[in-house]
Amino acid sequence: RPNPMREYLALRAWWEEPNDVVYLTAGLQVLANLEDRSFSVAPEVSYEGLDDLLVRLRGTLPVGDGNTEWGEKPNTWKIELQLKYFF
């Protein structure tokens, strides 16, 4: 039975302005279930160089056997694009 947030490890790292590209941020998030040894990897890139607009591209890759938390997800990967307009 599910036991959310009991034996997990979370890592989130980001790099602002990699290679001196202004307004660009690259990041990586890893969520791991220590009990069943499954995990999720999510790299992302965001750009804030446009007036009042944030562009964010993120991919998610769940990894694990079929009977683990991330292994039983219905998708094998996911890509999302977010556009946020501020006014």
Side-chain angles (χ1 to χ4, degrees), residues 1-67:
R1 85 179 202 242
N3 52 5
M5 302 310 291
R6 298 231 9 216
E7 292 187 26
Y8 286 78
L9 177 66
L11 169 70
R12 181 165 170 84
W14 60 92
W15 182 15
E16 293 185 12
E17 299 183 359
N19 297 323
D20 296 323
V21 178
V22 182
Y23 304 116
L24 186 74
T25 302
L28 179 70
Q29 176 176 311
V30 178
L31 300 173
N33 183 327
L34 299 177
E35 188 172 320
D36 66 13
R37 297 184 182 185
S38 64
F39 59 95
S40 172
V41 179
E44 68 179 65
V45 174
S46 63
Y47 183 72
E48 298 181 50
L50 305 171
D51 289 338
D52 302 324
L53 185 66
L54 169 67
V55 179
R56 181 179 175 210
L57 179 64
R58 180 179 185 180
T60 304
L61 177 65
V63 178
D65 294 332
N67 58 350

Side-chain angles (χ1 to χ4, degrees), residues 60-63 73-78:
T60 304
L61 177 65
V63 178
K73 299 291 183 193
N75 57 323
T76 56
W77 54 272
K78 175 175 72 170

